[in-house]
Short mmCIF file of all heavy atoms in Angstrom, two decimals:
data_model
loop_
_atom_site.label_atom_id
_atom_site.label_comp_id
_atom_site.label_asym_id
_atom_site.label_seq_id
_atom_site.Cartn_x
_atom_site.Cartn_y
_atom_site.Cartn_z
N PRO J 20 -9.37 1.26 0.28
CA PRO J 20 -8.50 1.11 1.51
C PRO J 20 -7.71 2.24 1.84
O PRO J 20 -7.21 2.20 2.96
CB PRO J 20 -7.64 -0.18 0.97
CG PRO J 20 -7.61 0.09 -0.56
CD PRO J 20 -9.01 0.62 -0.91
N VAL J 21 -7.52 3.25 1.05
CA VAL J 21 -6.66 4.38 1.38
C VAL J 21 -7.44 5.78 1.41
O VAL J 21 -6.71 6.74 1.60
CB VAL J 21 -5.40 4.49 0.49
CG1 VAL J 21 -4.52 3.17 0.66
CG2 VAL J 21 -5.83 4.67 -1.04
N SER J 22 -8.66 5.72 1.20
CA SER J 22 -9.40 7.04 0.96
C SER J 22 -9.40 7.80 2.28
O SER J 22 -9.60 9.07 2.27
CB SER J 22 -10.81 6.87 0.45
OG SER J 22 -11.57 6.00 1.40
N ALA J 23 -9.30 7.18 3.46
CA ALA J 23 -9.38 7.81 4.78
C ALA J 23 -8.07 8.29 5.21
O ALA J 23 -7.94 8.83 6.40
CB ALA J 23 -10.03 7.03 5.81
N LEU J 24 -7.02 8.08 4.44
CA LEU J 24 -5.60 8.37 4.90
C LEU J 24 -5.08 9.60 4.23
O LEU J 24 -5.55 10.00 3.09
CB LEU J 24 -4.70 7.15 4.54
CG LEU J 24 -5.14 5.83 5.07
CD1 LEU J 24 -4.20 4.70 4.64
CD2 LEU J 24 -5.29 5.78 6.53
N ASP J 25 -4.07 10.24 4.84
CA ASP J 25 -3.31 11.37 4.24
C ASP J 25 -2.69 10.86 2.92
O ASP J 25 -2.35 9.75 2.80
CB ASP J 25 -2.33 11.97 5.22
CG ASP J 25 -3.01 12.55 6.37
OD1 ASP J 25 -4.15 12.96 6.31
OD2 ASP J 25 -2.33 12.72 7.37
N VAL J 26 -2.38 11.85 2.09
CA VAL J 26 -1.84 11.42 0.72
C VAL J 26 -0.43 10.76 0.88
O VAL J 26 -0.26 9.81 0.24
CB VAL J 26 -1.69 12.76 -0.18
CG1 VAL J 26 -0.86 12.43 -1.40
CG2 VAL J 26 -3.05 13.34 -0.46
N SER J 27 0.42 11.20 1.81
CA SER J 27 1.65 10.68 1.97
C SER J 27 1.56 9.30 2.54
O SER J 27 2.32 8.30 2.15
CB SER J 27 2.62 11.51 2.94
OG SER J 27 1.97 11.61 4.15
N VAL J 28 0.59 9.00 3.47
CA VAL J 28 0.34 7.70 4.04
C VAL J 28 -0.24 6.75 2.95
O VAL J 28 0.08 5.54 2.97
CB VAL J 28 -0.46 7.79 5.29
CG1 VAL J 28 -0.72 6.38 5.87
CG2 VAL J 28 0.09 8.74 6.22
N GLN J 29 -1.03 7.33 2.03
CA GLN J 29 -1.66 6.46 0.97
C GLN J 29 -0.58 5.80 0.17
O GLN J 29 -0.72 4.66 -0.08
CB GLN J 29 -2.51 7.44 0.10
CG GLN J 29 -3.88 7.86 0.58
CD GLN J 29 -4.65 8.60 -0.31
OE1 GLN J 29 -4.36 8.60 -1.55
NE2 GLN J 29 -5.77 9.20 0.16
N ALA J 30 0.48 6.61 -0.17
CA ALA J 30 1.54 6.04 -0.99
C ALA J 30 2.26 4.89 -0.26
O ALA J 30 2.56 3.87 -0.88
CB ALA J 30 2.53 7.15 -1.37
N GLN J 31 2.45 5.05 0.99
CA GLN J 31 3.12 3.98 1.80
C GLN J 31 2.28 2.72 1.78
O GLN J 31 2.78 1.55 1.58
CB GLN J 31 3.29 4.39 3.21
CG GLN J 31 4.30 5.60 3.39
CD GLN J 31 4.36 6.17 4.77
OE1 GLN J 31 3.91 5.50 5.73
NE2 GLN J 31 4.95 7.28 4.96
N VAL J 32 0.95 2.80 1.97
CA VAL J 32 0.10 1.62 2.00
C VAL J 32 -0.06 1.00 0.71
O VAL J 32 -0.02 -0.19 0.57
CB VAL J 32 -1.29 2.12 2.60
CG1 VAL J 32 -2.35 0.94 2.53
CG2 VAL J 32 -1.22 2.60 4.06
N LEU J 33 -0.16 1.86 -0.33
CA LEU J 33 -0.22 1.29 -1.77
C LEU J 33 1.05 0.53 -2.08
O LEU J 33 0.97 -0.57 -2.68
CB LEU J 33 -0.48 2.42 -2.71
CG LEU J 33 -1.86 3.00 -2.65
CD1 LEU J 33 -1.99 4.27 -3.57
CD2 LEU J 33 -2.97 2.01 -2.98
N ASN J 34 2.22 1.11 -1.70
CA ASN J 34 3.52 0.34 -1.97
C ASN J 34 3.53 -0.90 -1.20
O ASN J 34 4.03 -1.99 -1.73
CB ASN J 34 4.63 1.30 -1.69
CG ASN J 34 4.81 2.44 -2.60
OD1 ASN J 34 4.52 2.30 -3.73
ND2 ASN J 34 5.39 3.56 -2.09
N LEU J 35 3.03 -0.89 0.03
CA LEU J 35 3.01 -2.08 0.76
C LEU J 35 2.11 -3.18 0.16
O LEU J 35 2.53 -4.39 0.04
CB LEU J 35 2.45 -1.76 2.26
CG LEU J 35 2.11 -3.02 3.04
CD1 LEU J 35 3.42 -3.79 3.41
CD2 LEU J 35 1.40 -2.48 4.41
N MET J 36 0.97 -2.76 -0.36
CA MET J 36 0.08 -3.71 -0.97
C MET J 36 0.69 -4.37 -2.26
O MET J 36 0.56 -5.50 -2.52
CB MET J 36 -1.23 -3.09 -1.31
CG MET J 36 -2.00 -2.64 -0.11
SD MET J 36 -3.53 -1.74 -0.40
CE MET J 36 -4.59 -3.10 -1.01
N GLN J 37 1.41 -3.56 -3.00
CA GLN J 37 2.08 -4.03 -4.14
C GLN J 37 3.24 -5.01 -3.79
O GLN J 37 3.36 -6.06 -4.52
CB GLN J 37 2.67 -2.88 -5.06
CG GLN J 37 1.58 -2.07 -5.74
CD GLN J 37 2.12 -0.93 -6.54
OE1 GLN J 37 2.91 -0.13 -6.04
NE2 GLN J 37 1.83 -0.91 -7.85
N ASP J 38 3.98 -4.68 -2.69
CA ASP J 38 5.05 -5.56 -2.29
C ASP J 38 4.56 -6.89 -1.78
O ASP J 38 5.02 -7.94 -2.18
CB ASP J 38 5.85 -4.93 -1.17
CG ASP J 38 6.68 -3.70 -1.58
OD1 ASP J 38 6.88 -3.61 -2.90
OD2 ASP J 38 7.02 -2.94 -0.77
N LEU J 39 3.35 -6.85 -1.02
CA LEU J 39 2.64 -8.04 -0.56
C LEU J 39 2.24 -8.89 -1.72
O LEU J 39 2.23 -10.10 -1.61
CB LEU J 39 1.60 -7.71 0.37
CG LEU J 39 2.06 -7.09 1.74
CD1 LEU J 39 0.88 -6.63 2.52
CD2 LEU J 39 2.94 -8.06 2.47
N GLN J 40 1.71 -8.28 -2.77
CA GLN J 40 1.23 -9.01 -3.95
C GLN J 40 2.37 -9.80 -4.58
O GLN J 40 2.18 -11.05 -4.87
CB GLN J 40 0.70 -8.03 -4.91
CG GLN J 40 0.00 -8.67 -6.08
CD GLN J 40 -0.69 -7.71 -7.05
OE1 GLN J 40 -0.23 -6.57 -7.18
NE2 GLN J 40 -1.74 -8.14 -7.68
N GLN J 41 3.52 -9.16 -4.73
CA GLN J 41 4.65 -9.89 -5.36
C GLN J 41 5.14 -10.93 -4.41
O GLN J 41 5.54 -12.06 -4.89
CB GLN J 41 5.84 -8.85 -5.60
CG GLN J 41 5.31 -7.90 -6.73
CD GLN J 41 6.53 -6.82 -6.98
OE1 GLN J 41 7.45 -6.92 -6.38
NE2 GLN J 41 6.21 -5.89 -7.87
N GLN J 42 5.14 -10.70 -3.13
CA GLN J 42 5.69 -11.69 -2.17
C GLN J 42 4.79 -12.87 -1.94
O GLN J 42 5.33 -13.99 -1.90
CB GLN J 42 5.87 -11.00 -0.79
CG GLN J 42 6.52 -11.84 0.28
CD GLN J 42 6.62 -11.21 1.65
OE1 GLN J 42 6.45 -9.92 1.71
NE2 GLN J 42 7.04 -11.89 2.63
N PHE J 43 3.41 -12.66 -1.89
CA PHE J 43 2.52 -13.73 -1.69
C PHE J 43 1.74 -14.26 -2.83
O PHE J 43 0.92 -15.13 -2.69
CB PHE J 43 1.70 -13.44 -0.50
CG PHE J 43 2.34 -13.15 0.83
CD1 PHE J 43 2.48 -11.79 1.28
CD2 PHE J 43 2.83 -14.20 1.63
CE1 PHE J 43 3.16 -11.64 2.43
CE2 PHE J 43 3.55 -13.98 2.82
CZ PHE J 43 3.75 -12.68 3.23
N GLY J 44 1.82 -13.52 -3.96
CA GLY J 44 1.08 -13.89 -5.19
C GLY J 44 -0.45 -13.64 -5.01
O GLY J 44 -1.21 -14.34 -5.52
#
């Protein structure tokens, strides 16, 4: 899901996915 993104943007998307995992289970 993040291989086509810049490194700085990858971190933002990965942090988002972790937050969503905690929020929605």
Side-chain angles (χ1 to χ4, degrees):
V21 297
S22 62
L24 305 177
D25 293 338
V26 174
S27 59
V28 181
Q29 286 185 13
Q31 296 174 15
V32 173
L33 292 173
N34 287 332
L35 169 65
M36 294 176 74
Q37 289 181 305
D38 291 342
L39 294 173
Q40 183 177 32
Q41 294 178 0
Q42 182 179 352
F43 297 106

